[in-house]
Amino acid sequence: MNILAIESSCDETSVAVIRNGTEILSNVVASSTLMHEKWGGIVPEVAAREQLESIIPVLTEALSSLSHQPSASSYQTIIKNSIDAIAITVGPGLIGSLLIGIETAKAIAFVTEKPIIPVNHVLAHMYANFLNSRQLSAVSSQTENSLGNNKIVFPAISLVVSGGHTELFLMKNKKDISWLGGTIDDAAGEAFDKSARLLGFGHGGGLAIQKAAKEAIGRQSSAIRLPRPIIHDDTLNFSFSGLKTAVMREWKNSTNHNEQMISAFSYEIQEAITDVLVKKTLKAVQVHNAQSILISGGVASNLRLREKMNEAISHQPSARLAESKRAISFYSPPIEFCTDNAAYIGSYAYFRGTPVDWHEINAIPDLSVEV
Ligand code: KG4
Ligand code: ZN
């Protein structure tokens, strides 16, 4: 079964064709991230306008790779002959951005009479762990635990950690998902991005913090100490707004904002965020006797987070994990499939989606993730 998947919830425009939920036949991504840099954050109107500019070129490029002689008039034929269903992100996301993808998907479904499947963007992120393909195997050596797909043993704990969300889910299988907890204020990616801006980096600063933090490693540990909010409470929730405030306070109190200081702050910010993410994920593993951990979303590309997850499962630090005497497996998608793209939208639609009448497809900017 081939699914044509469309993603346009924020500042990435992406179209993919996915076979049987795992194989990537094509995946094209255009991003307007750099355009937002000068504003210090995403401007919804700019993002929507860029979606409109990009959607048709991205769609035709994704379809072109399915046919050897593509021409504008034959795209409809390509879809008719090679595609079984259309998958579309309906939320959560920015209304203007969502609408561009949704109206495109509805038009395609109407003209080609193909079924259309609405997709929740946040839940779909975790399906990046089920993708597999010849293209992917070329990059798999860069990541420790990617390409889990069929090897993943359930139940699994799935941490979705992105710019707008930090959520923990229990996955009993590829279809049965339940929400366990999430952030009560800022998302982890937001904490990275806002801290990065304060330290003088541009938009999308998680990666910048990761790079600067690396410079601090090897130097004497700095005096900067940031809180790990609600790390020891009984819930599976997160809170990062206090951390952001603490970063601001410490930064104001510190003098000499040179490169060394920026690296020291970056190091401690990354340690604080990843400590909380790892601790809460491990807690969820214990509570639900899970056998695997899956991470996904933009922040899941953080190398320190991956390193700490691997360490945590190998040391089995808690008594209950040790008691169970079984290994916990850790899976993370290749870096390029952590940030927004349509490949995992297509995978989710295959494993968990249900087609609806195209009239019923609407943008839901605040679509709940608490399934
Ligand atoms: O999933 P995503 O592309 O968009 C949302 O759906 O939000 O995630 C974007 C987020 C941003 O906050 C960005 O700073 C963060 O992912 N990010 C990282 C890294 N790469 C991207 N955070 C930490 N370390 C990274 N290497
Ligand atoms: Zn996302």
Side-chain angles (χ1 to χ4, degrees):
M1 182 186 192
N2 289 345
I3 294 185
L4 176 70
I6 301 179
E7 156 62 36
S8 72
S9 63
C10 192
D11 58 344
E12 266 89 24
T13 315
S14 179
V15 178
V17 179
I18 305 299
R19 177 175 290 164
N20 296 334
T22 59
E23 195 185 342
I24 301 172
L25 302 186
S26 71
N27 186 33
V28 180
V29 186
S31 177
S32 63
T33 302
L34 291 178
M35 295 200 66
H36 303 283
E37 249 174 38
K38 64 176 174 181
W39 308 107
I42 291 167
V43 182
E45 288 78 4
V46 175
R49 202 179 58 222
E50 289 304 306
Q51 292 285 359
L52 191 56
E53 296 267 325
S54 303
I55 190 74
I56 298 302
V58 169
L59 174 68
T60 51
E61 192 182 331
L63 288 172
S64 296
S65 57
L66 297 186
S67 166
H68 295 304
Q69 293 167 317
S71 71
S73 59
S74 69
Y75 291 120
Q76 188 175 340
T77 315
I78 297 172
I79 296 173
K80 280 228 171 206
N81 294 342
S82 318
I83 300 294
D84 300 292
I86 320 292
I88 176 67
T89 298
V90 294
L94 302 170
I95 180 78
S97 291
L98 285 167
L99 281 171
I100 306 298
I102 287 173
E103 292 310 315
T104 307
K106 283 165 87 163
I108 295 171
F110 174 74
V111 170
T112 61
E113 297 179 337
K114 298 288 177 183
I116 184 164
I117 303 169
V119 173
N120 181 316
H121 174 90
V122 175
L123 300 185
H125 258 297
M126 55 183 106
Y127 287 74
N129 284 288
F130 302 126
L131 293 169
N132 202 348
S133 80
R134 270 166 263 116
Q135 296 107 296
L136 271 183
S137 45
V139 292
S140 64
S141 58
Q142 296 166 6
T143 59
E144 326 78 13
N145 272 310
S146 58
L147 308 177
N149 54 72
N150 293 326
K151 287 180 293 179
I152 292 172
V153 181
F154 295 99
I157 294 298
S158 172
L159 171 71
V160 182
V161 63
S162 68
H165 287 269
T166 308
E167 318 285 342
L168 278 168
F169 297 91
L170 172 65
M171 268 190 123
K172 289 191 182 148
N173 53 53
K174 284 180 188 151
K175 236 184 148 149
D176 186 343
I177 301 172
S178 44
W179 181 82
L180 302 174
T183 183
I184 54 173
D185 42 54
D186 290 355
E190 215 174 328
F192 268 120
D193 293 344
K194 286 181 177 161
S195 303
R197 236 169 276 145
L198 188 75
L199 302 188
F201 300 117
H203 168 68
L207 182 59
I209 290 202
Q210 176 184 297
K211 284 183 183 159
K214 218 169 156 216
E215 302 300 313
I217 296 169
R219 294 212 194 105
Q220 288 216 316
S221 71
S222 82
I224 304 156
R225 184 72 189 158
L226 294 169
R228 273 76 174 149
I230 68 171
I231 192 168
H232 294 301
D233 79 346
D234 288 337
T235 73
L236 292 174
N237 289 329
F238 301 89
S239 165
F240 291 106
S241 76
L243 174 63
K244 180 187 67 190
T245 313
V247 173
M248 265 153 73
R249 195 180 49 239
E250 291 293 320
W251 184 248
K252 268 189 196 148
N253 290 343
S254 64
T255 49
N256 203 2
H257 291 168
N258 57 18
E259 256 180 52
Q260 201 163 330
M261 183 65 85
I262 292 170
S263 294
F265 264 85
S266 298
Y267 178 82
E268 178 62 6
I269 291 163
Q270 181 173 257
E271 288 305 302
I273 295 173
T274 52
D275 275 352
V276 178
L277 294 175
V278 172
K279 183 88 183 173
K280 290 277 176 161
T281 305
L282 266 278
K283 187 185 180 77
V285 167
Q286 290 168 33
V287 173
H288 295 278
N289 258 313
Q291 309 233 23
S292 308
I293 295 172
L294 319 182
I295 63 169
S296 57
V299 179
S301 51
N302 186 272
L303 298 179
R304 185 70 178 128
L305 175 63
R306 291 170 181 233
E307 187 179 52
K308 280 183 174 176
M309 283 287 187
N310 268 319
E311 273 170 23
I313 59 161
S314 61
H315 293 151
Q316 297 199 336
S318 83
R320 274 189 66 185
L321 279 181
E323 264 167 34
S324 69
K325 289 218 171 33
R326 53 174 172 66
I328 311 287
S329 303
F330 167 57
Y331 299 94
S332 51
I335 306 285
E336 65 190 289
F337 291 94
C338 289
T339 45
D340 290 348
N341 67 87
Y344 59 72
I345 302 296
S347 177
Y348 174 93
Y350 177 81
F351 289 114
R352 200 168 183 269
T354 310
V356 302
D357 189 283
W358 67 266
H359 291 98
E360 289 169 32
I361 300 271
N362 291 307
I364 313 170
D366 56 354
L367 183 63
S368 173
V369 301
E370 297 180 22
V371 287

